[in-house]
Amino acid sequence: MGRVPVGELSRYLLGGRLSTNGCLTAFRRTPRSRLVGPAPPALRPVRAFHAAKEQPEPTHQQVQTPLAVPLRKKLKDEAKQARKQGKKKSNADSQTVEGWELTVGIEIHAQLNTPRKLFSPATTSFNDDPNSHVALFDVAMPGSQPIFQTGTLIPALRAALSLNCEIQPVSRFDRKHYFWWDQPSGYQITQYYQPFAKNGHITLLARDGIAPEDGKSVTIGIKQVQMEQDTAKTLAHNDNTQWLDFNRVGAPLIEIITEPELHHPRTAAVLVRKIQLLLSTVDACVSGMETGGLRADVNVSVRRTDDPSQTLGTRTEIKNLSTIKAVEDAIIAERDRQIRELDAGRQISSETRGWSIGSTETRRLRGKEGEVDYRYMPDPDIAPLVIGSDLIAHLKQSLPVTPDTELDKLISYFGLTPKDALSLINIDNGARVEYFYRVLYSVQDMIAADDLDGEGADVKTYAALVGNWTLHELGRLTTSKAGPHGTVDLTFTPDGDCAQVPDAELSQLLYHLYRKHITGKVAKELLMALYLGELEDGVRSAIDMHDLWFKEYSLEEYEALADEVLEGEDKVLQEFATSAKFPQGKLMFLLGKMMRAGQTERIDPANAQKVMRTRIESLLPSAA
């Protein structure tokens, strides 16, 4: 048989042709009517596996990702089904099981934020057409060679430095052999023997949400961080056909391997969340678990606390956990399964197991491979990776503020609660806290501009207001509390821009609210109108146009309104006179009546409460 040209191979395997940029692009078939001689066989855009013989050849239009089911709905449906079947999670709320010790190690795979793949010039892609970002090396074309893309090293180094790792001056790449359809070459290029970073650590604090049993803090060692290739994406076409999208194959990953020092499921989940936050902060990872940019494998083992040998139990690995909650739930389920097996006198097998969202049990996938099974060997086509100390020093100096430092600032300097501060940093991949700072500093500038006495306002007084609105009031816009209008998601850029509620407009609104130029009710109505795109000329123009400025009652008007409310409330006044402790609840009841009786847009609740309390005290017998 003669040698088959590379072009023919590419057309056969991928239905593509080699373009000028070194990537395989869609192959355009010549119309049958214009062909000279017999027509060539139909070309397939992606490889089909386990296809039934009677099925027709699939077309490119059939290669579609199945519609995603919303995670919350899927969890609710599966939980409801589990309740119907009478299933319950054993020890689901317990971080420990008496008489047993849990040990967990985690491997986190994160896709690096780079425009190129690890060893080919093809661009990285998430949502583009299948097999539109594929180079010859990605699909192991004969004669193609790996070319290390140096740009992938920078985000990997930033990630390792954020985890307090020691950067190795020389590291090497190895081949990890296994045969599966998502790896065309039959091996994965990784760094098993000489990774580029080792001996790191990460500290988890109580405010991060660790298990109470871990105390105020716990430090987990990072064994190593290594660079490696990602695999192709498998798309289920039907019951017996799988399609492969090679856009992801060869994408640059880092694998973060922790020491087996975790002993509580909740703390393990917190670790994954904090590492995800760190990678986002240093701009090393393209996205989080919710979009597939980060996945976690957990290694779980149990042993009896009275075991004199003090050796770890046989571990099992749970692969490809895609949510923070799945990490905790899967560990609990596997811990309980292993305890049941050992209590029954059976042995734990070293194996790889899977987990489905909403499940109550792990499931066996295959036996656990060892180092010998993978036949690790140095990659002869890739030179050693040499990293200079000057580059490391520069990256250390240019790292952004860590999340822990940011939290300390939000809590101690700006006066936010630990819960709100943590939420601001975690949601929207850190973009919400950038939005918070934009709004806060704009409000600060406006307050400073009209500061007549020159003393300046305490930053905590308006920072708490800004924090509450950027977190809770914005959150209410897209919930059921917003009624039928809450249908548009708020989107934030990494720099903190929000198209639906621009920070400049929210700053104006909160400044006027802080200065009591408008009431809280008016402010919420303006926020909803802004969110719905109804304020074309901005917040200030809307206040002027509709005359929404706060025209507060005078003291005399407040007193007259209070007297009107107190008429006929002799029974309530009697409770004030006879109660040993001031009945605050009754005061709030009367304040509510006062708010309803007057013009809400002219009442300051704090001032109204003061007037009502003064009037009540003046009517009591002791006051006379």
Side-chain angles (χ1 to χ4, degrees):
M1 179 179 177
R3 179 179 178 275
V4 180
V6 171
E8 291 296 327
L9 275 175
S10 68
R11 285 194 292 272
Y12 173 75
L13 288 174
L14 291 164
R17 60 183 175 79
L18 188 62
S19 65
T20 55
N21 62 3
C23 294
L24 292 167
T25 58
F27 177 75
R28 298 180 180 177
R29 299 187 182 89
T30 305
R32 185 178 294 272
S33 60
R34 295 175 58 188
L35 290 172
V36 178
L43 300 176
R44 300 158 68 180
V46 290
R47 298 189 215 182
F49 289 86
H50 303 302
K53 293 182 179 180
E54 67 274 13
Q55 291 182 336
E57 285 290 325
T59 63
H60 179 72
Q61 286 75 15
Q62 290 175 306
V63 186
Q64 297 178 353
T65 304
L67 292 176
V69 178
L71 177 60
R72 181 175 296 179
K73 183 178 185 303
K74 187 172 183 178
L75 286 172
K76 288 176 67 176
D77 291 346
E78 291 180 345
K80 186 184 296 183
Q81 187 65 25
R83 285 195 299 271
K84 286 182 179 179
Q85 297 174 359
K87 294 181 179 179
K88 294 183 179 180
K89 293 184 180 181
S90 59
N91 301 310
D93 297 326
S94 175
Q95 295 298 305
T96 59
V97 177
E98 187 176 356
W100 294 90
E101 181 186 62
L102 168 72
T103 301
V104 177
I106 300 182
E107 300 168 7
I108 296 174
H109 305 265
Q111 185 169 339
L112 294 173
N113 186 13
T114 64
R116 301 287 177 184
K117 295 186 178 181
L118 189 56
F119 293 108
S120 79
T123 56
T124 52
S125 162
F126 281 100
N127 300 315
D128 291 346
D129 292 337
N131 299 306
S132 59
H133 296 262
V134 186
L136 294 176
F137 179 74
D138 298 334
V139 288
M141 282 292 182
S144 60
Q145 293 289 311
I147 302 174
F148 180 68
Q149 304 297 307
T150 55
T152 61
L153 179 61
I154 302 303
L157 288 173
R158 287 200 299 262
L161 290 172
S162 71
L163 295 169
N164 306 295
C165 290
E166 300 172 1
I167 306 301
Q168 306 302 300
V170 179
S171 60
R172 289 179 169 81
F173 289 96
D174 308 301
R175 292 182 179 181
K176 175 183 178 181
H177 293 84
Y178 67 91
F179 297 98
W180 200 249
W181 56 43
D182 59 7
Q183 191 63 266
S185 60
Y187 60 85
Q188 179 190 34
I189 301 177
T190 183
Q191 291 185 311
Y192 183 75
Y193 292 114
Q194 291 182 268
F196 77 96
K198 294 181 179 179
N199 304 327
H201 67 271
I202 182 171
T203 300
L204 308 176
L205 305 175
R207 69 187 180 196
D208 295 322
I210 61 176
E213 293 84 352
D214 283 317
K216 294 182 178 180
S217 66
V218 58
T219 298
I220 306 300
I222 305 295
K223 180 181 179 182
Q224 64 188 55
V225 182
Q226 59 197 45
M227 299 182 73
E228 61 185 26
Q229 296 172 301
D230 205 347
T231 57
K233 182 187 292 184
T234 303
L235 306 174
H237 180 61
N238 53 40
D239 291 341
N240 54 8
T241 303
Q242 302 287 332
W243 294 105
L244 288 180
D245 178 7
F246 288 103
N247 282 346
R248 197 178 72 181
V249 72
L253 299 178
I254 53 170
E255 181 177 1
I256 302 167
I257 304 174
T258 75
E259 298 287 358
E261 297 173 345
L262 293 154
H263 301 290
H264 302 101
R266 186 183 305 166
T267 304
V270 168
L271 172 71
V272 176
R273 184 176 63 203
K274 190 159 188 176
I275 288 180
Q276 175 179 271
L277 179 60
L278 273 172
L279 298 183
S280 174
T281 301
V282 300
D283 196 26
C285 188
V286 292
S287 60
M289 300 185 90
E290 67 281 355
T291 55
L294 187 143
R295 305 185 295 276
D297 304 337
V298 296
N299 294 279
V300 180
S301 68
V302 298
R303 67 179 177 186
R304 298 184 187 275
T305 54
D306 57 358
D307 182 0
S309 66
Q310 293 299 306
T311 57
L312 295 178
T314 303
R315 67 182 175 93
T316 58
E317 183 179 25
I318 308 172
K319 300 285 287 186
N320 292 327
L321 300 175
S322 57
T323 67
I324 303 297
K325 179 173 172 53
V327 172
E328 181 174 0
D329 289 348
I331 291 173
I332 290 174
E334 179 59 17
R335 176 199 67 187
D336 294 347
R337 184 194 72 85
Q338 291 189 19
I339 291 174
R340 289 196 302 269
E341 292 292 303
L342 294 173
D343 278 340
R346 294 186 286 267
Q347 298 294 318
I348 301 299
S349 300
S350 179
E351 58 190 7
T352 299
R353 301 184 70 84
W355 168 264
S356 298
I357 293 177
S359 177
T360 57
E361 297 177 357
T362 60
R363 65 185 186 281
R364 187 181 190 279
L365 297 179
R366 58 184 179 272
K368 181 68 179 170
E369 296 88 350
E371 181 178 340
V372 175
D373 300 309
Y374 286 128
R375 293 176 291 126
Y376 285 100
M377 61 169 283
D379 194 306
D381 296 328
I382 305 175
L385 183 61
V386 180
I387 304 172
S389 58
D390 54 343
L391 174 60
I392 298 172
H394 170 73
L395 290 176
K396 281 184 178 179
Q397 293 175 356
S398 60
L399 284 179
V401 175
T402 65
D404 281 336
T405 304
E406 194 82 68
L407 273 172
D408 291 337
K409 180 180 178 181
L410 291 172
I411 295 169
S412 60
Y413 183 72
F414 292 120
L416 272 61
T417 65
K419 183 178 180 181
D420 282 357
L422 193 62
S423 297
L424 273 178
I425 287 179
N426 278 321
I427 61 176
D428 299 316
N429 288 325
R432 188 69 68 96
V433 74
E434 295 298 329
Y435 181 80
F436 163 80
Y437 282 125
R438 280 172 171 254
V439 176
L440 177 66
Y441 292 140
S442 294
V443 171
Q444 190 175 51
D445 290 342
M446 285 185 275
I447 291 174
D450 66 2
D451 184 18
L452 301 179
D453 54 17
E455 294 182 0
D458 182 3
V459 67
K460 291 183 179 180
T461 60
Y462 54 86
L465 176 70
V466 173
N468 179 60
W469 278 69
T470 56
L471 186 63
H472 302 294
E473 296 300 335
L474 286 187
R476 289 191 182 95
L477 294 176
T478 55
T479 64
S480 58
K481 293 182 180 179
H485 306 298
T487 56
V488 181
D489 288 334
L490 293 171
T491 56
F492 296 86
T493 67
D495 293 332
D497 279 325
C498 179
Q500 295 78 18
V501 183
D503 57 276
E505 294 300 326
L506 184 59
S507 303
Q508 278 281 341
L509 189 151
L510 294 183
Y511 164 72
H512 291 303
L513 179 61
Y514 175 75
R515 286 302 195 194
K516 296 185 178 180
H517 298 160
I518 58 176
T519 64
K521 180 181 179 182
V522 168
K524 291 179 181 180
E525 291 173 351
L526 286 171
L527 179 63
M528 178 59 74
L530 184 64
Y531 166 68
L532 297 175
E534 297 173 355
L535 302 185
E536 295 181 359
D537 298 324
V539 169
R540 178 61 185 263
S541 296
I543 297 174
D544 286 333
M545 183 183 303
H546 300 285
D547 192 22
L548 299 175
W549 298 110
F550 181 39
K551 303 178 182 66
E552 188 175 4
Y553 281 137
S554 65
L555 177 60
E556 292 76 15
E557 289 174 314
Y558 271 128
E559 290 175 342
L561 187 59
D563 290 339
E564 178 185 337
V565 170
L566 289 172
E567 287 184 8
E569 295 291 350
D570 296 339
K571 186 176 180 180
V572 176
L573 287 172
Q574 185 64 28
E575 292 189 38
F576 281 96
T578 58
S579 296
K581 185 178 179 181
F582 187 84
Q584 185 68 22
K586 294 298 180 182
L587 175 63
M588 300 310 294
F589 164 73
L590 294 173
L591 177 62
K593 292 190 66 175
M594 187 175 177
M595 297 287 291
R596 291 189 294 273
Q599 300 177 38
T600 307
E601 66 276 7
R602 296 190 60 192
I603 297 177
D604 182 336
N607 290 338
Q609 182 176 341
K610 290 178 183 177
V611 171
M612 177 61 77
R613 180 161 186 160
T614 301
R615 299 302 289 170
I616 291 172
E617 291 173 347
S618 68
L619 295 174
L620 295 180
S622 58

